[in-house]
Amino acid sequence: MEVELKVKVHDKEALKSRLESMGAKFENTVKQEDSYFKPARENEGPGDWIIRIRDEGKAKKLTMKIFTEVRGAWIEHETGITDAAQMRKIIDALGFPSAFTFHKTRT
């Protein structure tokens, strides 16, 4: 199970300095394109799922996220793939429409 916590940071440099003082190391910046697909339905609740293709250039992953009873927590199954464009075609052929796409830069 994966749980993500998102917080608003008011002073990014102060946070970075504090984390570095605790031993954190900041390495490469990574650009990600996350494309999400899901079956047509109104609500998302426990047991419902969504599929994500994450493309980071050389690294590509297919992920299935299954929603749990806990808001923001899900069961996750993930595997590497070699061709994100072909995986999109497969998912589309299975009848799962694209829900949304995010472009992210992680530092």
Side-chain angles (χ1 to χ4, degrees):
M1 181 181 298
E2 178 177 306
V3 177
E4 287 187 7
L5 175 65
K6 296 181 182 185
V7 296
K8 186 170 187 158
V9 175
H10 297 286
D11 188 342
K12 185 178 174 182
E13 289 305 314
L15 175 61
K16 184 177 178 184
S17 294
R18 177 77 172 127
L19 291 170
E20 287 173 333
S21 74
M22 295 168 59
K25 295 187 191 300
F26 294 87
E27 296 180 358
N28 300 330
T29 297
V30 176
K31 293 187 182 227
Q32 298 174 326
E33 179 181 286
D34 288 349
S35 300
Y36 289 83
F37 305 83
K38 66 178 187 172
R41 62 179 176 270
E42 291 294 318
N43 298 317
E44 294 172 348
D48 288 337
W49 51 269
I50 194 163
I51 294 173
R52 177 186 70 202
I53 296 173
R54 172 167 284 168
D55 188 340
E56 296 179 343
K58 290 184 179 183
K60 296 162 184 51
K61 298 175 188 171
L62 176 69
T63 307
M64 178 182 204
K65 295 181 174 223
I66 304 167
F67 297 95
T68 68
E69 301 268 343
V70 179
R71 183 174 169 83
W74 48 85
I75 298 166
E76 192 171 287
H77 303 287
E78 187 169 80
T79 190
I81 58 174
T82 58
D83 191 326
Q86 285 300 313
M87 193 73 243
R88 280 185 194 89
K89 289 178 183 178
I90 291 168
I91 292 170
D92 185 54
L94 290 170
F96 301 115
S98 176
F100 48 89
T101 298
F102 288 116
H103 297 271
K104 304 177 197 175
T105 301
R106 295 186 184 247
T107 55

